[in-house]
């Protein structure tokens, strides 16, 4: 009986394997083998019902065994033939369509989107060099809509295909090479295994003109690992969409295509279409509708979702409530906004891999909407907040901030303001999401942010805050009064009250609850006195009083031993505070535009051994040697500051410089040196500038060493300039050419005579080999421009330009 069961199992197995083979050429063998097994089964069944001698049974079993063994051999052979043949018939899979239509919003009625579409089609059809195209921009800007329309444009004319096949792959977060390979295989209607996927896809795509669209990619992918053949072989291309510009860099895209915001007109049109024209044009609703569109800041996703939530709603109260919720970054009050706008945009924040980047982004949310954030100021804030390595020098700190800002810009969390300006800003909706994150967080980044909002009293907000709040910002909120009581914020590190012009007093009890405060910003307020409670803030590292024009005197600051940044620029202080010399950790001291500050006690700066940044432009202080007439601060006090690398000051006279100072000044990385004999301030933002103003030259001034690292040299209202220029030429043998100097301006000066030293030089050198800009304004005494050229032995030639 056991033999019968085994034969049945074998019969079932062979039938299963053979019946599921798709190999047509072995069908007859299959049928023959099946008949043989049926015969064996019939013989066994017959003999089970018949009694006979034991010898007959043994004889029957022997014959059956031979037939079974022979059948097994044939089964194995048939299975092997089927597998071998299967590898040769992969091509019989259905051929996929060249382009698969993907439902997407039409962009023909949107001028900006239509222009982007036309440009993309031009890159695909006419630009042979654009093999890999990176489409980047913030979430919800319309990147996916654009490439879907590109795909559909290619599907409109099947008789004139640009590509043999267009492959659409949605990558999204946490996608691996294997997942991308699987999606490509699905599009090609083939089956792959993990071990040979790359080579299989390579062979499948090789020789074809393909367009691979990788939508929503968060990290760079090596196309070689995926199995994508070289794009140059058959005019193939790759389009990738991403929120992070650094992905484009990592994947070496040939062309980057940024998707920006909609224009005001397009934004209003899109919003109106979603809400309904008759609703948004209602006289009682239109003002709120306009304000809501401004809050969306041209972001299509926000306009569509918020517009849909307000569709056909005619109650004015609902519109006002929606506007207030957006201004307060409270998305739960508007249907769909949290799930469909805020959370998708939060992915960009979540994708920041380093906590430092997240904290720096959330700090930028402390500023009001549309605020232009000075990246130089971020160095001060982030240093005090512990977001930067305080062991770095100022130049390294500045570079670190630029790196962080660049990363946030690349992640579409910050935007550049303008070319060449070190300022950034935040998209309104991105800021709203950041404020929402900071408010809702329960850990290290919880904040109270009411920047630019004037409806709420500061006392109500602070009294209701939790003990875990880290940052408080009421910047530009028109606050006139602070509560005259202690506010319990034991973990708050930053208190920003900047821009509240109506604030005249800082009550003494107010600061007593901020024991862990590291940053206090009172800039652009009208506070007249600083309270004694300020001196109890033992952790304070940044005290910012910039543009506090009502402050005339500072209290003793010797208790603030951890202070690293003191900014008293644009104040009316007449002297430095008592105990100033004890601020041994001070790194950054800003005293710009303090014209009433006209005296600095001798030796007071020598004790600030960690000082790296000193700015005193526009102050009443003129530096000179101790014997310089009318100088009110000795330059010898600066020579002991060995950490100083940024210096913006005024010198009383050019005569205070000697060759002994040369090595010290060479260490200064960034500077503006203004030398003049009167107090008029010459405003400038040019780095590494030397400005000589109102001087009478004798020809023996030490000017050349000042220009060794200078980028700009200005001479204004000076006399006997020819003597000074001749001195530069005479000293050129020892100093060499001023290779860094790119700009030379001479304004309202007289230049008489001829250069005295040209005939004495054995070999004339080009003193300004890299000069890019030459300005002569109000200059008299020159016979010709060529004669000025001879003064400095300049290497350029004057070439007449035809009209």
């Amino acid at each position: 009986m056991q033999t019968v069961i085994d034969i049945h199992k074998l019969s079932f197995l062979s039938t299963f394997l053979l019946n599921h083979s798709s190999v047509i050429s072995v069908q007859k063998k299959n049928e023959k083998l099946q008949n043989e097994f049926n015969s064996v089964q019939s013989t066994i069944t017959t003999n089970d019902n018949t009694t006979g001698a034991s010898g007959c049974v043994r004889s029957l079993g022997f014959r059956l065994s031979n037939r079974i063994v022979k059948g097994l051999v044939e089964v194995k052979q048939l299975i092997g033939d089927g597998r071998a043949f299967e590898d040769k018939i992969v091509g019989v899979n259905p051929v996929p369509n060249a382009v698969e239509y993907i439902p997407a919003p039409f962009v023909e009625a949107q001028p900006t989107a239509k222009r982007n579409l036309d440009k993309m089609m031009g890159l695909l059809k006419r630009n042979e060099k654009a093999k890999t195209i990176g489409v980047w921009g913030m979430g919800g800007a319309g990147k996916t809509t654009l490439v879907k329309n590109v795909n559909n444009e290619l599907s409109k004319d099947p008789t004139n295909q640009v590509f043999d096949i267009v492959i659409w792959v949605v990558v999204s977060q946490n996608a691996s090479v294997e997942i991308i390979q699987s999606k490509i295989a699905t599009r090609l209607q083939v089956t792959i295994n993990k071990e040979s996927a790359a080579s299989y896809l390579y062979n499948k795509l090789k020789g074809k003109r393909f367009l691979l669209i990788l939508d929503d990619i968060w990290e760079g992918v090596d196309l070689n690992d995926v199995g994508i053949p070289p794009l140059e072989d058959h005019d193939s291309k790759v389009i990738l969409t991403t929120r992070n510009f650094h992905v484009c860099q990592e994947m070496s895209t040939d062309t980057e295509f940024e998707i920006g915001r909609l224009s005001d007109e397009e934004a209003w049109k899109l919003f109106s279409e979603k809400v309904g024209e008759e609703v948004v044009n209602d006289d009682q609703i239109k003002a709120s509708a306009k304000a809501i569109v401004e809050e969306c800041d041209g972001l299509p996703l926000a306009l569509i979702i918020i517009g849909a939530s307000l569709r056909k709603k005619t109650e004015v109260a609902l519109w006002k409530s929606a506007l207030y919720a957006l201004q307060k970054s409270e998305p739960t009050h508007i249907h769909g906004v949290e799930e469909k706008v805020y959370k998708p945009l939060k992915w960009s924040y979540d994708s920041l891999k380093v906590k430092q980047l997240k904290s720096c982004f959330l700090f930028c949310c402390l500023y009001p909407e549309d605020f232009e954030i000075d990246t130089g100021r971020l160095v001060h804030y982030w240093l005090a907040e512990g977001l930067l390595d305080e062991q770095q020098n100022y130049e390294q700190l500045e570079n670190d901030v630029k790196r962080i800002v660049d990363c946030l810009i690349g992640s579409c969390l910050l935007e550049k303001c303008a070319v060449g300006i070190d300022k950034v800003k935040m998209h309104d909706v991105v800021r709203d999401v950041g404020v929402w994150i900071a408010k809702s967080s329960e850990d290290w980044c919880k904040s109270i942010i009411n920047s630019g909002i004037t409806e709420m009293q500061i006392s109500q907000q602070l009294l209701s805050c939790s003990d875990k709040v880290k940052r408080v910002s009421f910047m530009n909120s028109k606050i006139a009064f602070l509560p005259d009581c202690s506010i319990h914020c034991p973990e708050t590190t930053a208190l920003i009250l900047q821009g509240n012009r109506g604030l005249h007093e800082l009550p003494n009890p107010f600061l007593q609850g901020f024991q862990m405060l590291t940053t206090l910003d009172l800039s652009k307020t009208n506070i007249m006195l600083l309270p004694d409670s300020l001196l109890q803030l033992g952790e304070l590292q940044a005290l910012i009083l910039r543009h506090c024009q009502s402050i005339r005197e500072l209290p003793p600051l010797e208790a603030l031993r951890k202070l690293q940044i003191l900014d008293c620029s644009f104040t009316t202080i007449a002297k430095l505070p008592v105990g100033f010399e004890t601020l041994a950790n001070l790194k950054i001291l800003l005293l710009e535009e303090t014209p009433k500050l006209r005296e600095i006690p001798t030796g007071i700066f020598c004790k600030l051994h960690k000082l790296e940044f000193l700015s005193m432009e526009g102050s009443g202080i003129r530096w000179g040697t101790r014997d310089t007439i009318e100088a009110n601060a000795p330059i010898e006090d600066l020579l002991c500051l060995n950490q100083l690398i940024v210096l913006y000051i005024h010198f009383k006279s050019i005569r205070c410089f000697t060759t002994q100072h040369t090595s010290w000044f060479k260490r200064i990385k960034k500077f503006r040196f203004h030398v003049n004999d009167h107090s008029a301030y010459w405003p400038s933002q040019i780095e590494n500038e030397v400005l000589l103003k109102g001087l009478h030259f004798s020809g023996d001034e030490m000017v050349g060493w000042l220009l060794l690292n200078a980028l700009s040299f200005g001479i204004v209202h000076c006399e006997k300039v020819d003597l000074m220029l001749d001195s530069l030429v005479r000293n050129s043998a020892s100093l060499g050419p001023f290779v860094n100097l790119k700009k030379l301006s001479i304004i309202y000066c007289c230049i008489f005579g001829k250069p005295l030293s040209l005939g004495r030089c054995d070999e004339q050198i080009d003193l300004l080999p890299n000069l890019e800009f030459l300005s002569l304004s109000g200059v008299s005494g020159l016979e010709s421009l060529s004669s000025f050229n001879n003064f400095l032995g300049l290497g350029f030639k004057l070439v007449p330009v035809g009209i």
Side-chain angles (χ1 to χ4, degrees):
M1 190 64 182
Q2 183 64 40
T3 304
V4 175
I5 295 173
D6 289 343
I7 291 175
H8 274 297
K9 287 182 178 179
L10 182 60
S11 175
F12 173 79
L13 176 61
S14 63
T15 302
F16 176 83
L17 290 172
L18 295 173
N19 285 343
H20 285 74
S21 174
S22 60
V23 185
I24 300 174
S25 62
V26 297
Q27 185 63 37
K28 292 183 178 180
K29 290 183 180 180
N30 182 9
E31 293 175 355
K32 179 182 178 182
L33 190 58
Q34 182 64 53
N35 292 334
E36 184 67 25
F37 273 103
N38 290 339
S39 175
V40 172
Q41 184 175 349
S42 176
T43 303
I44 294 174
T45 303
T46 302
N47 282 277
D48 279 345
N49 298 323
T50 305
T51 58
S54 59
C56 294
V57 173
R58 286 194 296 271
S59 175
L60 175 63
F62 179 77
R63 292 197 305 273
L64 289 175
S65 296
N66 286 337
R67 292 169 67 183
I68 290 170
V69 170
K70 183 179 178 182
L72 283 173
V73 172
E74 292 186 23
V75 167
K76 291 181 180 180
Q77 181 65 43
L78 190 57
I79 293 173
D81 290 344
R83 286 177 178 170
F85 191 69
E86 184 181 13
D87 293 337
K88 299 176 182 180
I89 62 170
V90 176
V92 303
N93 289 324
V95 177
N97 294 328
V99 186
E100 290 184 342
Y101 180 85
I102 302 174
F106 295 107
V107 299
E108 282 77 4
Q110 302 176 28
T112 300
K114 185 63 168 63
R115 283 195 300 272
N116 289 338
L117 176 59
D118 292 341
K119 184 176 179 181
M120 284 292 293
M121 297 305 297
L123 290 174
L124 293 179
K125 294 182 178 181
R126 294 182 291 275
N127 192 326
E128 295 181 357
K129 295 182 179 179
K131 294 294 184 181
T132 308
I133 304 168
V135 180
W136 72 286
M138 63 181 292
K143 303 181 296 296
T144 298
T145 298
L146 172 62
V147 291
K148 281 183 177 179
N149 276 269
V150 168
N151 177 88
N152 295 342
E153 281 291 309
L154 294 171
S155 70
K156 288 182 178 180
D157 186 6
T159 62
N160 185 24
Q161 288 293 341
V162 180
F163 301 100
D164 296 327
I165 188 167
V166 178
I167 305 169
W168 175 281
V169 176
V170 179
V171 181
S172 297
Q173 291 177 297
N174 304 319
S176 62
V177 169
E178 290 77 13
I179 292 175
I180 295 174
Q181 288 172 332
S182 176
K183 292 184 176 183
I184 293 175
T186 300
R187 173 68 178 96
L188 297 176
Q189 300 182 15
V190 297
T191 303
I192 58 174
N193 59 66
K194 183 177 179 180
E195 290 72 20
S196 60
S199 60
Y200 183 87
L201 292 177
Y202 181 94
N203 291 324
K204 189 69 178 175
L205 293 172
K206 187 177 181 181
K208 295 182 181 294
R209 294 176 304 161
F210 62 86
L211 171 62
L212 174 62
I213 301 176
L214 300 174
D215 186 34
D216 194 23
I217 186 168
W218 290 76
E219 294 184 1
V221 175
D222 191 330
L223 297 179
N224 292 322
D225 292 344
V226 176
I228 306 303
L231 303 179
E232 294 79 10
D233 290 354
H234 290 84
D235 295 327
S236 297
K237 293 180 184 286
V238 171
I239 298 176
L240 61 93
T241 73
T242 181
R243 298 187 188 188
N244 197 326
F245 179 73
H246 301 302
V247 171
C248 299
Q249 295 176 308
E250 187 176 351
M251 295 187 67
S252 301
T253 52
D254 300 311
T255 301
E256 293 77 44
F257 196 93
E258 183 179 6
I259 304 297
R261 66 195 73 192
L262 299 179
S263 66
D264 293 343
E265 296 77 11
E266 290 178 282
W268 176 252
K269 182 179 179 181
L270 179 59
F271 186 74
S272 300
E273 289 174 354
K274 294 299 175 182
V275 174
E277 296 281 352
E278 70 284 356
V279 177
V280 295
N281 288 319
D282 184 285
D283 291 340
Q284 293 183 306
I285 290 176
K286 193 167 187 176
S288 296
K290 288 283 189 182
I292 288 174
V293 171
E294 288 181 8
E295 286 289 324
C296 295
D297 201 10
L299 184 66
L301 177 64
L303 291 162
I304 291 169
I305 300 301
I306 296 173
S309 71
L310 293 169
R311 184 169 180 78
K312 296 186 178 180
K313 291 186 177 180
T314 57
E315 294 183 45
V316 177
L318 295 178
W319 283 85
K320 290 184 177 180
S321 175
L323 175 59
Y324 182 75
L326 290 174
Q327 291 172 337
K328 295 291 292 179
S329 301
E330 296 174 351
T332 56
H333 295 179
I334 308 175
H335 177 72
V337 171
E338 181 174 0
E339 289 296 325
K340 298 180 180 179
V341 180
Y342 276 44
K343 286 186 177 180
L345 287 176
K346 185 177 179 289
W347 293 341
S348 295
Y349 167 83
D350 293 334
S351 70
L352 299 174
K353 297 181 179 180
V354 183
K355 184 178 177 180
Q356 176 199 39
L357 294 176
K358 293 182 177 180
S359 189
C360 289
F361 163 71
L362 293 176
F363 190 94
C364 293
C365 298
L366 301 179
Y367 291 90
E369 286 184 358
D370 301 319
F371 196 96
E372 294 188 350
I373 304 170
D374 189 327
T375 57
R377 301 281 170 235
L378 290 179
V379 179
H380 309 164
Y381 285 126
W382 291 351
L383 176 62
E385 282 282 284
L387 299 175
L388 305 175
D389 182 3
E390 64 179 23
Q391 299 303 317
Q392 298 180 114
N393 64 34
Y394 188 84
E395 183 182 27
Q396 293 167 332
L397 292 172
E398 198 171 44
N399 292 337
D400 204 19
V401 168
K402 290 179 179 179
R403 174 189 62 80
I404 293 170
V405 167
D406 181 68
C407 183
L408 295 176
I409 290 173
S411 299
C412 297
L413 295 172
L414 286 178
E415 301 175 351
K416 291 182 179 180
C417 287
V419 178
I421 297 179
D422 290 330
K423 290 185 178 182
V424 293
K425 62 180 180 178
M426 304 187 80
H427 188 281
D428 287 353
V429 181
V430 171
R431 179 187 175 275
D432 290 341
V433 172
V435 172
W436 171 64
I437 295 170
K439 282 183 175 182
S440 59
S441 175
E442 297 180 356
D443 50 15
W444 52 273
C445 63
K446 191 173 182 65
S447 304
I448 294 176
I449 304 173
N450 279 288
S451 302
I453 299 177
T454 60
E455 287 84 356
M456 305 191 71
Q457 295 294 324
I458 188 172
S459 58
Q460 294 174 346
Q461 284 297 104
L462 286 178
L463 288 172
S464 64
C465 73
S466 73
D467 293 344
K468 300 296 184 181
V469 169
K470 300 296 184 182
R471 296 165 179 165
V472 178
S473 177
F474 284 86
M475 192 184 301
N476 293 5
S477 294
K478 297 184 179 179
I479 294 171
F481 301 97
L482 296 173
D484 193 2
C485 60
S486 177
I487 302 299
H488 187 65
C489 288
E491 295 190 17
T492 301
T493 59
L495 175 59
I496 314 294
L497 295 170
Q498 172 184 330
N500 293 290
R501 294 289 189 184
L503 190 60
H504 292 82
E505 182 183 3
L506 187 62
N508 192 60
F510 178 75
L511 293 176
Q512 292 176 354
F514 292 87
Q515 292 304 309
M516 298 302 295
L517 205 64
T518 61
T519 302
L520 177 59
D521 187 349
L522 300 171
S523 57
K524 295 185 179 179
T525 66
N526 274 311
I527 291 175
M528 293 180 284
L529 295 173
L530 296 174
D532 293 338
S533 58
L534 171 70
L535 306 179
Q536 300 173 12
L537 303 178
E539 300 298 319
L540 196 66
Q541 297 190 36
L543 178 58
I544 303 173
L545 306 171
R546 195 176 187 84
H547 287 282
C548 290
Q549 297 176 345
S550 297
I551 290 183
R552 299 183 180 183
E553 185 177 358
L554 298 177
L557 298 179
E558 62 266 21
L560 304 181
R561 297 299 177 88
K562 292 187 177 182
L563 199 66
Q564 295 192 70
I565 301 116
L566 178 60
D567 188 349
C568 296
S569 300
F570 299 89
T571 64
T572 55
I573 61 171
K575 59 181 180 180
L576 296 176
V578 174
F580 175 78
E581 67 277 7
T582 65
L583 302 179
N585 286 303
L586 201 63
K587 270 190 171 186
I588 300 167
L589 177 60
L590 305 178
L591 297 168
E592 305 160 24
E593 277 299 299
T594 51
K596 294 190 177 182
L597 180 63
R598 297 182 179 177
E599 181 181 355
I600 294 181
T602 299
I604 195 171
F605 274 95
C606 291
K607 299 179 181 181
L608 305 179
H609 299 296
K610 293 185 178 181
L611 195 65
E612 297 182 17
F613 189 128
L614 175 60
S615 178
M616 300 186 68
E617 290 181 293
S619 75
I621 298 298
R622 295 293 177 271
W623 296 82
T625 57
R626 289 191 172 94
D627 57 355
T628 302
I629 299 175
E630 296 182 0
N632 47 17
I635 192 175
E636 288 83 358
D637 283 6
L638 295 180
L639 299 180
C640 62
L641 300 177
N642 294 324
Q643 303 299 318
L644 199 66
I645 58 175
V646 182
L647 182 60
Y648 304 133
I649 58 175
H650 290 261
F651 293 107
K652 177 61 184 175
S653 170
I654 199 80
R655 295 181 183 278
C656 65
F657 307 134
T658 67
T659 54
Q660 298 175 352
H661 304 146
T662 304
S663 60
W664 182 84
F665 275 102
K666 280 184 177 179
R667 295 203 307 266
I668 306 298
K669 303 294 184 181
K670 295 173 66 175
F671 59 84
R672 278 193 292 272
F673 299 150
H674 293 183
V675 184
N676 53 47
D677 61 353
H678 39 78
S679 60
Y681 176 48
W682 180 270
S684 175
Q685 293 299 320
I686 301 174
E687 293 294 350
N688 292 16
E689 178 188 58
V690 174
L691 175 67
L692 310 180
K693 186 179 179 186
L695 299 178
H696 190 286
F697 296 107
S698 63
D700 58 353
E701 290 84 6
M702 298 291 294
V703 176
W705 69 268
L706 277 175
L707 303 178
L708 290 177
N709 294 319
L711 299 175
S712 176
F713 184 25
I715 308 168
V716 182
H717 286 294
C718 292
E719 299 180 18
K720 298 290 184 179
V721 176
D722 48 314
L723 297 179
M724 185 271 291
L725 295 177
D726 188 68
S727 175
L728 286 178
V729 175
R730 281 188 283 110
N731 293 321
S732 62
S734 58
L735 293 176
F738 305 116
V739 295
N740 296 310
L741 202 64
K742 295 183 179 181
K743 180 179 180 180
L744 174 60
S745 302
I746 302 179
I747 303 173
Y748 297 118
C749 296
C750 293
I751 302 178
F752 294 104
K754 297 180 179 180
L756 303 175
S757 56
L758 283 180
R760 302 183 221 159
C761 294
D762 296 333
E763 183 179 351
Q764 184 177 343
I765 64 171
D766 185 357
L767 206 57
L768 307 176
N770 297 314
L771 194 68
E772 297 176 357
F773 180 88
L774 174 63
S775 174
L776 303 176
S777 178
V779 175
S780 60
L782 284 177
E783 295 179 359
S784 66
L785 198 56
S786 297
S787 63
F788 174 77
N789 187 25
N790 293 331
F791 265 108
L792 292 178
L794 299 179
F796 64 80
K797 295 182 179 180
L798 301 175
V799 180
V801 179
I803 299 177

